[in-house]
Each structure stands twice: as C-alpha cells, then as structure tokens.
Amino acid sequence: MSAQELAHVTVLLREAVDALAVKPDGVYVDGTFGRGGHSRLILSKLGANGRLVVFDKDPQAIAVARQLAETDKRVQVVHGGFAGFQVALKELGIEAVDGALFDLGVSSPQIDDAERGFSFRYDAPLDMRMDTTRGQTAAQWLAEAGEEEIREVIRDYGEERFNSQIARAIVQQRQERPILTTGQLAQLAAQAVRTRERGQDPATRTFQAIRIFINRELEEISAVLPQAAGYLKTGGRLAVIAFHSLEDRIVKQFIRRHSRPAPLPKWVMVRESERPEPPLREIGKAQRASAAETAANPRARSAVLRVAERTAGEFVDE
C-alpha cells in the first residue's frame, strides 16, 4: 500500500458499515470505493457467499479496487460514476441488493495529490476531474464559460456571496492570459473576496463550486438515490455520508419524502391504517463524527451520515 493510501482515513467507518446491518450472505454496493476503507470492513462481515460491488470514477481508486478483487473473488469493480447504478448491476446479473453505501464528495488522496488540481494549497494544473480519463478540466471550462455561467456556478454550488466579483475577475484575467493553475485561481478569489470567514481561505467556496460542477456531483446524487432505493430488498439499508449542506439537503429531503405516506387529494377519504406504506423508513437521527474522530481527522468535522431502511411499500421513481 502506498503512502498516499496510508494517509487516507475513512470517515465514520464503523458507524456507516454498522448502519448497513450486513448479512453474511448479502449483496452490497460501495458506491464510492475511494481507498476501500468501508469496503474492507463490509467484506470482514460478509461470508463466503456474500458479494460486494464497488464503484469509483477515479482511475487510482479503481487500481486499488482491482487489486482487492484479485485477492477476494467476492468483489466486483465498476469504473464509473454511481449514477449508472442500475445499468451496471443489471449487467452483473444483480436484480436486488441488501445495502448500498455512498461516501460523497472528494477523497483525501484526491485533495492531497497536487497534480489533481483539487486544492489551493498547491500550485498545480487546474484539473479537478475525479475521472482523469474523460471530460473537461476546470481550466478548459474557465477558458470557455461565459461570465454569467461562472457566476451562477460559484453562487449555486459554492454559496459564495462574492460570486459576481470572482466571475468578473476570472473573465478579465483570461483576456490577458489563460487561467491554468490552482495558484492563479486562488489568487483571483483572494483578491475578489473582501471578507472571509474565520479560519477559511477565501478560495474555499470557489474551488468547491467548480469541483462540484465539473464532476456533476449533485446531479449524480439526485440520480442515484431513487435507483438505490428501488434496488433494495425489503429490510435493505441505504447509508449516505455527506460533507456539505448541498449534498446533505438532497439526501435528507429524499429520505424524508419517501419515509412519509404520499399525500392524497383532499376529496379522498381513507383510514390512516389503510394508507399505502411508505417505501423507506428513516433509521435514527443524522450521525456526526465524534469529537475524538474530528480531533484525529479534521476533515470529518462536516460529515453527516443518514440511514434509511426499505420497507415492503412500493417505491415509485419520481
């Protein structure tokens, strides 16, 4: 295992895997393999007939996953985003699963590898793609996007109040020379953000916004949740770890919407006991990392784990 893999600390490791209530002969999905922390713990609870399908966009993560699959035949690897959940599982001959886990956002190895361009701590090529084998880089998008589009991305995905100033600075700068590095973008953000939150770099929200946009992160979350819920067996569990409010809002609203009886027209008279059972049941309250975990791994401080269980109620994809 490389030094980079060793540096990766899986957030809410035991809490997330415990939430799945793993059955020894069950079929499970780790939708965000990363460096395999959650996957290895799931495998330790599976028996010889259990099965684990792992997804990841990142070629480096996939390389680690394939090494694991070579030594453990219970593992099957999918190189791709989890938005292709149902298609991939059907191709593997899987019609239903006992649990699905998603650890959202960017991973520590991606942030800590300067060449990936996710972090403003290093001056490196402005890439930001989770899958470096396809798609447009952040630098390419910034070279082509209009000022209004850049402003909307920074506003909507970064919740940055100085979105107009940053977008204007980007467009003005690229007229003189292309914005190709993380250092250039961080400097532009620092000059445009007039006040900063305590302890937060002025480039934080801009980098978050562009990364989310380049990788279609929120769209993928919205796409996979109904697929995963619809694929769960009765009693199967869905566990999702989110790291910022935009992700968590999507997860929370999805679980709550499908954990309540569907609203009926006012003219329909039906006893409460006769109403159709909701397809999901929310399990417990949202969990956060403990003080000890946060002290050992500061990146855990914003993590939120939400869990739902599939009922016998019919799931209707909206």
Side-chain angles (χ1 to χ4, degrees), residues 206-221:
T206 298
F207 271 68
Q208 170 188 294
I210 295 174
R211 186 206 85 216
I212 289 173
F213 173 77
I214 289 294
N215 294 288
R216 299 184 70 253
E217 292 176 42
L218 300 187
E219 291 88 346
E220 289 218 335
I221 296 167

Side-chain angles (χ1 to χ4, degrees), residues 17 20-30 38-54 68 72-76 97-99 233:
V17 175
L20 292 177
V22 176
K23 301 174 183 176
D25 59 349
V27 179
Y28 293 87
V29 174
D30 183 349
H38 289 122
S39 285
R40 290 184 175 89
L41 187 54
I42 292 170
L43 288 168
S44 73
K45 296 175 180 293
L46 283 177
N49 295 322
R51 196 170 177 185
L52 177 65
V53 181
V54 303
L68 179 62
D72 193 326
K73 300 307 178 186
R74 297 173 298 174
V75 179
Q76 292 176 287
V97 299
D98 296 280
K233 300 175 184 177

Side-chain angles (χ1 to χ4, degrees), residues 158-172:
E159 299 178 298
E160 170 59 74
R161 359 185 229 139
F162 297 103
N163 51 79
S164 295
Q165 294 90 330
I166 295 169
R168 190 178 309 120
I170 288 170
V171 171
Q172 290 174 349

Side-chain angles (χ1 to χ4, degrees), residues 1-2 19 23 26 43 52 100 250 259 271 296 315:
M1 186 175 290
S2 69
K23 301 174 183 176
L43 288 168
L52 177 65
I250 294 170
S259 296
R271 293 190 182 92
F315 182 84

Side-chain angles (χ1 to χ4, degrees), residues 29-300:
V29 174
D30 183 349
T32 43
F33 179 79
R35 293 303 181 268
H38 289 122
S39 285
R40 290 184 175 89
L41 187 54
I42 292 170
L43 288 168
S44 73
K45 296 175 180 293
L46 283 177
N49 295 322
R51 196 170 177 185
L52 177 65
V53 181
V54 303
F55 287 73
D56 212 293
K57 291 181 176 181
D58 193 319
Q60 295 177 9
I62 288 297
V64 176
R66 285 175 176 155
Q67 289 177 356
L68 179 62
E70 287 177 3
T71 59
D72 193 326
K73 300 307 178 186
R74 297 173 298 174
V75 179
Q76 292 176 287
V77 180
V78 178
H79 181 193
F82 49 62
F85 186 96
Q86 286 192 0
V87 171
L89 292 187
K90 285 179 180 176
E91 288 178 351
L92 293 172
I94 298 172
E95 296 299 327
V97 299
D98 296 280
L101 168 63
F102 301 93
D103 182 358
L104 305 176
V106 66
S107 69
S108 296
Q110 289 170 333
I111 294 173
D112 294 336
D113 184 350
E115 294 303 309
R116 302 298 297 274
F118 286 106
S119 176
F120 45 78
R121 290 186 290 137
Y122 317 101
D123 190 20
L126 191 56
D127 192 317
M128 291 197 188
R129 293 171 300 166
M130 290 181 179
D131 186 347
T132 53
T133 67
R134 68 193 81 177
Q136 190 178 44
T137 68
Q140 289 169 337
W141 177 69
L142 287 175
E144 300 171 4
E147 182 176 334
E148 182 63 16
E149 183 183 6
I150 296 171
R151 185 186 73 79
E152 289 177 355
V153 165
I154 295 172
R155 179 195 66 194
D156 296 345
Y157 296 148
E159 299 178 298
E160 170 59 74
R161 359 185 229 139
F162 297 103
N163 51 79
S164 295
Q165 294 90 330
I166 295 169
R168 190 178 309 120
I170 288 170
V171 171
Q172 290 174 349
Q173 176 64 50
R174 76 187 186 191
Q175 291 173 351
E176 299 176 13
R177 60 175 179 146
I179 302 167
L180 301 176
T181 71
T182 55
Q184 287 176 277
L185 180 59
Q187 185 177 22
L188 287 171
Q191 292 168 349
V193 175
R194 293 192 296 272
T195 61
R196 67 184 73 183
E197 296 179 27
R198 187 175 181 181
Q200 185 180 82
D201 190 282
T204 298
R205 292 179 179 274
T206 298
F207 271 68
Q208 170 188 294
I210 295 174
R211 186 206 85 216
I212 289 173
F213 173 77
I214 289 294
N215 294 288
R216 299 184 70 253
E217 292 176 42
L218 300 187
E219 291 88 346
E220 289 218 335
I221 296 167
S222 297
V224 77
L225 291 175
Q227 293 183 57
Y231 235 77
L232 288 174
K233 300 175 184 177
T234 299
R237 295 283 183 90
L238 171 68
V240 187
I241 302 171
F243 284 85
H244 61 74
S245 60
L246 295 175
E247 295 173 337
D248 185 52
R249 190 178 304 141
I250 294 170
V251 177
K252 177 174 68 175
Q253 291 177 350
F254 176 83
I255 290 176
R256 297 215 169 144
R257 184 166 65 250
H258 292 287
S259 296
R260 296 168 179 163
L264 296 173
K266 292 182 180 180
W267 53 267
V268 174
M269 302 295 292
V270 64
R271 293 190 182 92
E272 193 65 30
S273 60
E274 296 175 345
R275 296 189 70 175
E277 183 179 15
L280 295 180
R281 180 170 66 90
E282 191 169 5
I283 302 296
K285 297 181 179 179
Q287 295 184 58
R288 294 185 177 272
S290 66
E293 181 174 3
T294 301
N297 180 16
R299 288 176 181 161

